[in-house]
């Protein structure tokens, strides 16, 4: 069975190089609470639609009963991912039956700073 490449953790790849304070005021961060084990599926769907998102992932190593090592990428926050978009893109994320809830983020600047730090830590 072929090993699949790791899913990209964010879209676009320049997400953290952009200055979001200068973006139009309709776009904001949303915390998406997904149904169990739907984070990557939702990330693929958002990527296909061209919606900015961030799904931090870490490497998880385990062993088969035969002793073989298995490496996989799992979400850092199981059941959660982050969307950066307007209301139209937020409503589009609901399509596909991957979400359990959408959480509003009252402090946009603090969340963005925290997500930037998480990305920097995982990249190093």
């Amino acid at each position: 069975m072929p090993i699949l490449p790791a899913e990209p953790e964010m879209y676009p790849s320049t997400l953290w190089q952009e200055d979001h304070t200068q973006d139009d005021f309709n776009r904001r961060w949303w915390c998406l609470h997904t149904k169990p084990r739907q984070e990557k599926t939702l990330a693929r769907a958002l990527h296909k639609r061209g919606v900015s998102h961030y799904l931090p992932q870490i490497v998880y190593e385990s062993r088969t009963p035969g002793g073989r090592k298995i490496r996989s990428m799992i979400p850092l926050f199981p059941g959660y991912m982050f969307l950066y978009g307007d209301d139209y893109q937020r409503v589009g994320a609901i399509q596909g039956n991957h979400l359990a809830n959408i959480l509003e983020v009252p402090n946009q600047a603090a969340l963005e700073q925290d997500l930037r730090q998480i990305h920097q830590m995982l990249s190093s």
Side-chain angles (χ1 to χ4, degrees):
M1 183 168 154
I3 297 175
L4 299 173
E7 295 286 334
E9 65 179 4
M10 68 182 145
Y11 178 82
S13 60
T14 60
L15 182 65
W16 301 122
Q17 297 168 1
E18 300 169 3
D19 183 16
H20 296 175
T21 58
Q22 302 300 324
D23 280 4
D24 69 354
F25 296 104
N26 295 329
R27 294 183 71 188
R28 55 180 299 158
W29 285 101
W30 299 90
C31 181
L32 305 179
H33 181 198
T34 66
K35 291 183 177 178
R37 301 180 57 97
Q38 292 292 307
E39 303 91 347
K40 291 181 184 180
T41 307
L42 178 58
R44 279 190 290 270
L46 293 175
H47 180 86
K48 189 186 260 186
R49 291 187 191 120
V51 177
S52 299
H53 63 275
Y54 182 51
L55 175 63
Q57 301 175 62
I58 56 172
V59 175
Y60 175 75
E61 288 189 3
S62 61
R63 292 193 179 266
T64 64
R68 225 179 63 181
K69 270 189 186 180
I70 296 175
R71 294 181 68 183
S72 55
M73 298 297 289
I74 62 170
L76 180 62
F77 307 113
Y80 294 93
M81 67 178 298
F82 305 93
L83 176 138
Y84 183 69
D86 57 21
D87 287 333
Y88 178 75
Q89 292 168 326
R90 178 180 58 92
V91 170
I94 296 171
Q95 298 171 352
N97 203 22
H98 304 292
L99 290 181
N101 199 2
I102 297 179
L103 307 172
E104 189 171 348
V105 178
N107 192 342
Q108 293 285 308
L111 177 67
E112 183 165 347
Q113 181 181 5
D114 290 347
L115 292 178
R116 283 179 187 267
Q117 289 177 347
I118 289 168
H119 175 69
Q120 186 177 13
M121 181 197 62
L122 292 176
S123 298
S124 63

